[in-house]
Amino acid sequence: MSRRGKPKPLTARVLIVDDDERNAFAASEALEVLGHDLVIARSGEEALRLLLHQEFAVILLDLHMPGMDGYETAKLIREHPRTRDTPIVFVTAVFRDEAHIFQAYTAGAVDVVFKPVDPFILRSKVAILVELHLKTLEVRRQAAEQHALLEANARISEEKLAAELALREARERQDTILKSLPVVFTSRASVHPFAALFVSDSITPLTGFEPHRFVQEPEIGLGRIHPDDVEGVVNCLMQASTSGAYACEYRWLCSDGAYRTFLDQGVWVPDANGGEGEILGTLLDVTDRRQLEEHLAQARKMEAVGQLTGGVAHDFNNLLTVVLGNADILLRRLGDDEPRITRQLSAIRSAAERGQTLTRQLLAFSRRQQLNPQIIDLNALIKGFAPLMQQAVGEGVTITLTLSDPPLHASIDPTHLETALLNLAVNARDAMEGEGRLTVTTCAVTDGEAQPMARIQVCDTGPGMAEGVAKRVFEPFYTTKEVGRGTGLGLSQVYGFVSQSGGRINASATPGEGAIFELMLPLTDELPLAVAAEPEVAEVEAGSERVLIVEDDPAVLSLCLDMLTSLGYRCDVASDAGGALHRLDSDPDYDLLFSDVIMPGGMNGIELAQKAQERRPDLKVLLTSGYVGEMGHQMQHDFPLIDKPYQCADLATRLRAVLGSTGAMAPAK
């Protein structure tokens, strides 16, 4: 294209093929005035080489040439796709008869010119053919330009469409961002931010009220703040008048009747004309975050208290084992000879048993108690246990059961579940002061649960609880009862049992409308086993087998040695796992290993039992512990275990069960 935008004039090439230099020169002289490029080839071979790389408007081809003549050259030109349509004008001085002329046209010639050539005739013929070629080139160029224009138009249209799509996406992103932004508002500096001059549309999904309500009804903002939070909000705004900014949290009553916690932040912008200025602020809903923080804090507190109570229970159980064991030994030895001392020992033993119950409650809360889970039908257990619950709550409380039709099977320790239900029932009775209605409801829950759960609800018609009480109700030793009416461990024991069983428990209550305790326990597809008949209680049996006692507490070790010796067993002792293995290696005649689980020295009782049976596969094992701790969850074992504190009769029965042989009656002392 020229600078003015006009296309450059088209030119053509003319190929002159002649072996005679004079004839080629004569043709060039005749055609030069046409202004086109003239190219001379001295042979057919040279002409073919030129045609491979250049385009010609017309070919003047001499018929009679040495080597490759005009006919053969024309044939090869016509066979090539690039040149099959290029016009060929044969030039000859020899072949003038009709046969040769016919052969020339057959070979692809468009015309035949005889030598000597008239310059005017040759120029006219070539000019016509060149003009046709140039018109063809012009058509090609116009088609190429039109195609380029179409491509450019398509590209522009595509770019325009892409720009429109990008603009639409940007607007959609902007709308999404605006919707996700916190509420933005402006207000006069002298009033609370809710008495606003402007409030963004995002206030509606947050509160349920349209933005214009806050502009037209200034009292709606301050009037719906929780009464306990109003003073803090006012103080915060008063500070903002001096600091230039404020930030406060408060509970606000939304249109659905529920309080939500808002984070209200703003800055004071002075008026350029000396007026009171305006507040520019944002409002964020932090309800879920605050609830999560409270739940996490409560969980950490419960876990810390659980670890503390578990550790206390471990040491306390060792003490109770010594107290109860020695009291039993002394009571058996005294018999009825010393009634006053016997009465005093019985009082000691009774107090120790109360301490044992307290320790079990602590272990239950800390989720460290020994459970014996079984596949049970929760509905059947509740229905069968209801009479005992009725007896515990008294005649003034009516118990109503609403149990689901299909059975609810769960892997749960039935004894501990009954204890949990009894604790909830007694707690409800005390709240209702002995008169009211207690409803127990069961159903299966699947929505939103990782696995199907059984929901057990225990509802009462008592006075309910304040929000602060409901949050702390599962804490150990926390109670609203007067001194002497409870230890504050009943509900914490329920909490620990449910948590250790893989479930959860929640308490909700509204003052004046009673309380609801909801137990969620995992369901199972397994079916309960047939219930075996209760075995008759057998008399305590003694024995004569050799027993290796492993216990790190000297007082407990001494007591255990006295108990087993009094039952007739031949005993040796060790204070740690290393000493026990040394004795087992040096003396292969032990029948039973009786070991504490928690011991110093890096090896616990479970590991000791495993190593002992590797050395002696026939060695019997009985373990004991007052607190297994985290190790009980980390190490799986099948060894029998007796809880501390244990009594002499219980220990004798477990020993005979493990040894599997009949011994003699225990000697009386």
Side-chain angles (χ1 to χ4, degrees):
M1 299 287 288
S2 67
R3 291 183 179 180
R4 296 182 180 180
K6 294 182 179 180
K8 183 180 179 180
L10 296 174
T11 59
R13 293 188 186 91
V14 177
L15 180 59
I16 302 171
V17 186
D18 200 314
D19 62 307
D20 190 327
E21 183 177 353
R22 293 171 297 174
N23 292 334
F25 177 76
S28 298
E29 286 291 318
L31 300 176
E32 187 176 6
V33 296
L34 296 177
H36 301 298
D37 296 335
L38 303 176
V39 181
I40 298 174
R42 301 298 183 187
S43 64
E45 290 85 354
E46 184 180 357
L48 292 174
R49 284 195 297 270
L50 291 171
L51 287 168
L52 287 175
H53 304 289
Q54 300 181 39
E55 184 178 9
F56 293 91
V58 61
I59 302 171
L60 300 179
L61 181 59
D62 187 16
L63 277 176
H64 184 68
M65 292 184 296
M68 183 183 296
D69 62 10
Y71 295 121
E72 188 176 357
T73 302
K75 179 181 178 183
L76 293 175
I77 291 173
R78 288 289 176 257
E79 288 178 352
H80 198 282
R82 178 183 176 86
T83 57
R84 65 164 59 108
D85 297 323
T86 303
I88 299 174
V89 176
F90 279 130
V91 181
T92 181
V94 180
F95 305 118
R96 294 174 175 269
D97 56 280
E98 292 183 358
H100 282 93
I101 294 173
F102 178 77
Q103 185 179 358
Y105 284 114
T106 303
V110 298
D111 203 353
V112 178
V113 178
F114 299 104
K115 296 177 182 179
V117 179
D118 184 335
F120 177 77
I121 294 174
L122 180 62
R123 190 164 46 246
S124 298
K125 291 180 179 291
V126 170
I128 293 173
L129 294 174
V130 168
E131 184 66 24
L132 289 174
H133 176 72
L134 292 178
K135 288 186 179 295
T136 301
L137 291 180
E138 181 64 25
V139 170
R140 288 182 188 173
R141 183 167 67 178
Q142 291 178 357
E145 291 177 353
Q146 186 177 9
H147 181 70
L149 288 173
L150 290 175
E151 284 187 341
N153 184 56
R155 185 174 61 257
I156 292 171
S157 299
E158 185 178 353
E159 291 174 354
K160 181 181 178 182
L161 179 61
E164 291 176 351
L165 290 175
L167 179 60
R168 185 183 305 171
E169 290 177 357
R171 288 176 177 173
E172 291 175 353
R173 286 196 301 270
Q174 183 179 6
D175 292 342
T176 303
I177 292 172
L178 289 175
K179 290 179 181 178
S180 64
L181 286 175
V183 176
V184 179
F185 61 85
T186 61
S187 68
R188 292 186 179 88
S190 61
V191 294
H192 184 263
F194 268 123
L197 299 172
F198 164 79
V199 180
S200 62
D201 292 341
S202 50
I203 192 71
T204 302
L206 196 66
T207 65
F209 293 98
E210 296 293 331
H212 66 84
R213 294 283 301 275
F214 297 93
V215 177
Q216 299 172 1
E217 306 172 35
E219 69 281 355
I220 194 176
L222 189 62
R224 300 183 76 87
I225 296 177
H226 194 285
D228 296 342
D229 298 340
V230 172
E231 183 178 355
V233 172
V234 173
N235 292 336
C236 179
L237 291 174
M238 291 179 64
Q239 294 175 3
S241 62
T242 57
S243 64
Y246 74 94
C248 58
E249 287 188 13
Y250 49 81
R251 289 163 290 176
W252 201 84
L253 185 62
C254 298
S255 63
D256 59 359
Y259 278 100
R260 299 195 68 81
T261 303
F262 293 156
L263 173 60
D264 189 342
Q265 297 174 300
V267 295
W268 177 70
V269 180
D271 191 339
N273 298 322
E276 62 181 359
E278 293 183 353
I279 284 180
L280 302 180
T282 60
L283 202 66
L284 280 172
D285 184 355
V286 295
T287 307
D288 295 338
R289 187 176 71 187
R290 287 290 172 262
Q291 290 177 348
L292 179 59
E293 290 174 353
E294 290 176 1
H295 290 163
L296 288 175
Q298 181 71 4
R300 292 192 187 102
K301 180 171 67 174
M302 298 290 271
E303 183 64 24
V305 174
Q307 292 177 355
L308 174 63
T309 55
V312 170
H314 170 249
D315 294 333
F316 199 39
N317 267 332
N318 278 340
L319 298 176
L320 291 175
T321 300
V322 176
V323 174
L324 283 171
N326 282 293
D328 283 341
I329 291 174
L330 290 174
L331 283 171
R332 289 203 313 274
R333 289 178 179 175
L334 288 174
D336 299 328
D337 297 337
E338 298 287 343
R340 185 175 63 85
I341 298 177
T342 300
R343 188 169 57 256
Q344 293 171 343
L345 286 172
S346 297
I348 293 174
R349 190 181 189 285
S350 178
E353 286 177 345
R354 288 197 298 272
Q356 178 182 5
T357 301
L358 180 65
T359 308
R360 286 176 179 170
Q361 289 176 325
L362 288 172
L363 286 174
F365 168 74
S366 63
R367 291 166 284 173
R368 304 297 189 268
Q369 62 186 335
Q370 298 296 323
L371 297 181
N372 181 29
Q374 303 172 24
I375 307 299
I376 62 171
D377 180 357
L378 297 177
N379 290 334
L381 182 142
I382 294 171
K383 187 175 182 181
F385 190 63
L388 249 140
M389 293 172 61
Q390 184 66 68
Q391 185 178 353
V393 298
E395 297 180 356
V397 177
T398 302
I399 296 181
T400 303
L401 303 182
T402 305
L403 307 179
S404 62
D405 289 336
L408 301 175
H409 295 144
S411 179
I412 294 292
D413 188 316
T415 303
H416 284 84
L417 179 57
E418 290 174 348
T419 303
L421 293 172
L422 186 61
N423 272 321
L424 293 175
V426 171
N427 189 72
R429 177 203 64 190
D430 294 343
M432 295 184 291
E433 297 183 351
E435 293 186 0
R437 184 175 65 258
L438 184 67
T439 305
V440 181
T441 305
T442 65
C443 67
V445 179
T446 56
D447 292 342
E449 298 290 342
Q451 70 174 104
M453 304 287 281
R455 180 169 64 195
I456 303 175
Q457 281 189 337
V458 180
C459 312
D460 63 54
T461 56
M465 295 179 286
E467 183 180 356
V469 174
K471 290 181 177 179
R472 300 188 58 191
V473 72
F474 296 115
E475 294 181 15
F477 305 112
Y478 177 78
T479 179
T480 58
K481 300 175 184 178
E482 61 187 44
V483 177
R485 291 196 60 188
T487 62
L489 285 173
L491 292 179
S492 64
Q493 183 179 6
V494 178
Y495 171 87
F497 158 69
V498 173
S499 299
Q500 191 174 352
S501 300
R504 62 181 185 274
I505 181 170
N506 299 310
S508 59
T510 303
E513 297 182 10
I516 301 174
F517 288 86
E518 183 179 87
L519 285 72
M520 302 291 288
L521 298 172
L523 291 171
T524 180
D525 294 331
E526 299 182 47
L527 298 177
L529 299 175
V531 180
E534 289 289 335
E536 295 183 2
V537 178
E539 296 184 11
V540 176
E541 294 179 311
S544 60
E545 290 87 352
R546 290 194 66 192
V547 178
L548 176 59
I549 306 170
V550 188
E551 172 63 61
D552 63 294
D553 189 304
V556 178
L557 179 60
S558 177
L559 170 67
C560 183
L561 181 61
D562 286 346
M563 283 184 177
L564 296 188
T565 302
S566 68
L567 292 171
Y569 293 99
R570 294 168 293 150
C571 302
D572 290 315
V573 299
S575 60
D576 55 33
L581 290 176
H582 178 71
R583 282 191 171 274
L584 289 171
D585 289 337
S586 60
D587 189 346
D589 293 334
Y590 288 106
D591 299 298
L592 181 137
L593 172 69
F594 181 46
S595 174
D596 191 11
V597 173
I598 305 298
M599 292 187 298
M603 186 184 303
N604 57 60
I606 298 173
E607 295 169 332
L608 169 62
Q610 292 170 343
K611 290 183 178 296
Q613 286 196 339
E614 289 176 2
R615 291 168 165 80
R616 290 274 310 282
D618 58 336
L619 181 68
K620 305 294 184 181
V621 174
L622 176 61
L623 300 178
T624 182
S625 179
Y627 166 71
V628 177
E630 294 298 335
M631 185 177 57
H633 302 280
Q634 297 170 358
M635 298 193 64
Q636 300 295 326
H637 67 91
D638 296 324
F639 299 114
L641 185 141
I642 183 171
D643 292 334
K644 292 180 181 178
Y646 45 76
Q647 300 179 28
C648 185
D650 296 333
L651 179 57
T653 301
R654 292 302 299 274
L655 284 171
R656 294 316 320 162
V658 172
L659 288 167
S661 60
T662 303
M665 292 295 297
K669 293 186 178 180

